[in-house]
Structures are given as structure tokens and as C-alpha cells.
Amino acid sequence: MGELSKRKAQRLRNRMAATLAGQGALADPHWRAAFEQVPRHMFLPRFFRPHPDGGWTAIADSDHEWLELVYSDWVWVTQLDCDDRRWALARGQGRTPGTATSSSSMPTIMAIMLEALEIRGGEKVLEVGTGTGYNAALLCHRLGQRNVSTVDVDPLVLRRAAANLERAGYRPTLATADGASGYPPTAPYDRVLATCSVSRIPLPWLAQTVVGGLIVTTLHRPLGAGLVRITAGRNSTGEGTVLPADGRFMPLRAHRGPDISELLRAVGDCSGPRSSTELGMNVVTSPSSAFEFFAGLVLPGVRPATGMTVGDLRQNWLVHPDGSWVRHTTERGRHHVEQGGPRRLWDETESAYERWRELGEPRREQFRLTIDPGGQWIWLDEPSGGHHWQLESA
């Protein structure tokens, strides 16, 4: 990179950090300095972005738009299944199909999670999900590389991250490991940061965190995912809260649920009685909806899918592995549903919505977590309040 490009990259980093601070995602001046100084472009020499006609377009550092895109507040997919073939196809033909298997998170959510660690200086941190290595570099800048360990289950992802980190001048402890087991060789930790999502908090994370230490991660749920922060207790116990900021990450591989496309194929061309409803599907499934988190608690295992829009008709689905399903359509502002299978999922959804309203329409930050070897629970307001739901595998 020439001197002119280096100066441009620095201007873009400063602009990105200023934007994050202006949004309230960056308050700690030490983290702002990290975002201003750690070169994200060294960790994203190539990536994929969604193509408007479906699939992915490959972007490389030889493209004129590359540097601006790197320092924009977007998540960039860095690996697809059969990655090398996908990359060659995308560069040769303009786009390629594929399933994302690794990514570089939005800087906004990275900043929010780093701030949520409540770093004071000198803490020892385990990062689960190395990805490109950029987040590990931010941690190294703030804490020193001796205090940072990072693991990823994918050896190819880890090799690329190691090369990126070396090129940028950072040398944390890196290991190919199943993040669900933490990383005992460098434990105990003052903080655990998972840049992947989990359906339940892995107990090894609690066991490897000092009492009073913090774990920041994302719940992997078909509905109602989001950031949580846990304070570690003794004997693999913990208490925590759901954070107000939303966050969605690729799941830890051991915590992936059934594929929604397989569930939809199982439903096939099913049909059922058609009825009208006042409840829009976006109220149930949109991350911006205050009801969505509660819906995920009351409807565990229910998975949403957005269908095609044909003319004025928009079709969406709710599906459960037990074969229950809902087809929700919207036409000219009017909502209709069909439902079938062993349960009437839409009836359950409407009942859940009414219960949420009766409880005062609680938002995600009103929910707390308790964790011990016997179970994991989410509570409304306080454990003594009576309203609670078991945190099940997604």
C-alpha cells in the first residue's frame, strides 16, 4: 500500500471511529484509539458481499471500492463453503452461490461488545471465534498480546487470521480448538468474549473465568437472539442480563439447530384453513420488534423464514421440527394465516403476544439469566419475580 493509500486508510479509520462514538457505541477513549489505529484493511484483503440477484460478489484489494467498503459499518463475509472454488467463480463470473461460514462483524457490534467487557486494563481475555483476527488485534492493542488468547474451530480460518495478525504486528495466543470447551491451557480468564453465538452458555467458560469475571456473548436462537453479559460465580455458576443492543452472529458449530430449508421441505405444499389476523409477521420475527425476544422464550425451537413476494402478496413462515407450521401472507395491508401440524403455532403466537402485552410489553434488557450445572433460566426482571423460562438448545 502506497503512502497516499495509507493516509486515506487512516482518514477512513478516524471517520469510522468518530461515527461509532457518535452513535454511542464507543465511549471508552482507549477503545476509540484502538479503532483509529488498528488497520482493518489488513484483515480484509478479500471478502464477499451480497449480490442483488442472489449469491455473492467477490471484492479484493485490487478493486477501487475495496478500501471504502472495508471501513464502512458492515459485516463482510470472508469465507463460503468450498471457499477457493467460490472465490474463483465469483471473480470470473461476477457472482457465486454459497453458504457463509465465516465473517468480519460490523464495527458497531464489535465496539458494543468490547465496551460491554468493562475493561479497566491488564485483564486476561479469551476470544472464542477468531474470524479474520481483527477483533483479536483490537484486544491486543488495548491489553497487550500476552493477555489475549483466541481460538477457532476452523484451521483454515485460523491460519488466515494468524497471517493477518502477523502482518499487522500482533501475536496473541492462537489455537485451533472447539470454542465450546473454552481453552484450558491459558486459563483462568478475567473476560471471555464470544464472537459467535450459543444456544446455552457453555459451562467450561464459567469454569475458566475467575469469580466476578465477565462473559459477553450472543444467544443463538431462531427468534429473540441477542447480546448477554454474564458474571461468573463459583462452581460453574453465573448470573447476568440481556443487553439492550441487539447482535446476531454465526452460531458455534456445536450449537447449530436444524436447517430451516430442511424444515420447509418437510412441510412441502401443505395447506390448511385460512383465517385473518391482526398480527403482522414482522412484529414476531423482526429484530427491531420489542416482542421478538419474548416470542423466542415462549415459542422455543420455532424458526422463521421469509418467503417470496409475488405481486402484492408477501409470504412468510414459522416452522417447528415437530412438523407444526404457519404460512402468513400479507396483501394490501391485510394479514392472513394457514397453519397445520400437531400444534397450532399461530394460535400460540397470538397468545404469546397477548401475554407480553399483559406483562407491560417488556423489552429485552428487562430479562436476566441464571446459570448452574442443573439448568439455565431467563427471568423477567428478577429471579424472585416468578416469570421464567428455561434456556433450551436452539
Side-chain angles (χ1 to χ4, degrees):
M1 178 178 283
E3 191 60 34
L4 187 62
S5 295
K6 288 181 181 178
R7 289 200 295 270
K8 180 180 180 181
Q10 184 63 67
R11 288 196 303 272
L12 292 173
R13 283 199 297 278
N14 292 343
R15 185 182 71 181
M16 180 180 72
T19 299
L20 296 178
Q23 294 171 344
L26 274 181
D28 185 334
H30 296 95
W31 286 125
R32 178 164 180 168
F35 277 91
E36 289 174 341
Q37 295 177 40
V38 175
R40 192 185 190 204
H41 63 270
M42 288 191 177
F43 298 87
L44 284 167
R46 69 180 204 179
F47 53 88
F48 298 92
R49 67 174 176 179
H51 192 280
D53 296 326
W56 306 90
T57 297
I59 301 294
D61 54 10
S62 58
D63 297 322
H64 74 278
E65 61 193 330
W66 166 71
L67 199 59
E68 290 277 355
L69 292 175
V70 164
Y71 288 107
S72 61
D73 193 23
W74 287 97
V75 55
W76 297 120
V77 169
T78 53
Q79 180 174 279
L80 303 176
D81 52 344
C82 305
D83 184 56
D84 290 336
R85 180 172 60 84
R86 299 292 191 197
W87 180 261
L89 183 63
R91 294 302 283 176
Q93 299 184 10
R95 68 186 179 101
T96 181
T99 300
T101 56
S102 189
S103 65
S104 180
S105 304
M106 288 177 64
T108 294
I109 196 63
M110 295 174 70
I112 289 171
M113 294 183 76
L114 290 169
E115 291 266 358
L117 290 174
E118 298 184 351
I119 294 295
R120 300 292 179 263
E123 288 88 350
K124 191 176 178 183
V125 178
L126 171 66
E127 179 193 37
V128 178
T130 308
T132 66
Y134 176 53
N135 200 64
L138 293 168
L139 287 165
C140 287
H141 185 280
R142 178 74 174 86
L143 296 168
Q145 57 196 25
R146 290 185 178 180
N147 286 326
V148 179
S149 298
T150 179
V151 299
D152 202 290
V153 72
D154 189 324
L156 177 58
V157 167
L158 197 77
R159 284 199 299 272
R160 289 174 177 163
N164 293 340
L165 285 158
E166 180 72 27
R167 185 165 55 249
Y170 300 103
R171 297 175 181 84
T173 298
L174 296 104
T176 301
D178 181 356
S181 301
Y183 189 60
T186 50
Y189 305 102
D190 301 295
R191 303 288 188 268
V192 173
L193 175 65
T195 54
C196 53
S197 58
V198 293
S199 56
R200 291 163 59 89
I201 308 301
L203 295 183
W205 294 1
L206 290 162
Q208 293 170 32
T209 303
V210 300
V211 174
L214 300 178
I215 297 169
V216 175
T217 186
T218 305
L219 290 180
H220 169 57
R221 303 182 65 75
L223 293 171
L227 295 173
V228 295
R229 178 171 55 205
I230 311 297
T231 301
R234 300 184 184 279
N235 302 319
S236 299
T237 63
E239 294 187 2
T241 186
V242 179
L243 299 179
D246 187 26
R248 314 279 160 134
F249 287 87
M250 292 182 184
L252 199 69
R253 294 193 183 184
H255 289 223
R256 290 176 178 171
D259 191 293
I260 183 63
S261 60
E262 295 179 3
L263 297 179
L264 287 172
R265 279 196 295 270
V267 172
D269 297 323
C270 293
S271 62
R274 190 169 185 257
S275 60
S276 61
T277 180
E278 295 297 318
L279 191 59
M281 185 65 88
N282 64 313
V283 175
V284 181
T285 62
S286 172
S288 63
S289 167
F291 171 62
E292 188 233 13
F293 187 84
F294 187 84
L297 297 176
V298 181
L299 303 168
V302 173
R303 311 183 90 80
T306 301
M308 298 293 292
T309 300
V310 181
D312 293 328
L313 187 66
R314 184 171 180 80
Q315 189 178 94
N316 298 283
W317 293 78
L318 295 178
V319 191
H320 191 276
D322 68 4
S324 302
W325 58 271
V326 172
R327 182 189 292 114
H328 184 288
T329 55
T330 302
E331 185 175 17
R332 298 188 180 94
R334 296 179 180 273
H335 307 304
H336 296 88
V337 294
E338 297 172 75
Q339 54 186 322
R343 295 159 53 194
R344 295 182 64 80
L345 283 184
W346 195 251
D347 293 356
E348 293 181 24
T349 302
E350 290 186 321
S351 294
Y353 184 71
E354 289 305 314
R355 185 181 180 193
W356 174 73
R357 295 189 66 183
E358 290 169 359
L359 289 171
E361 302 184 1
R363 305 187 69 83
R364 64 173 62 238
E365 59 267 32
Q366 291 178 241
F367 293 91
R368 298 186 59 79
L369 293 85
T370 57
I371 302 156
D372 61 48
Q376 303 191 17
W377 302 84
I378 293 184
W379 304 78
L380 177 56
D381 295 322
E382 296 295 337
S384 59
H387 300 291
H388 61 278
W389 300 264
Q390 188 164 18
L391 189 58
E392 301 176 353
S393 298

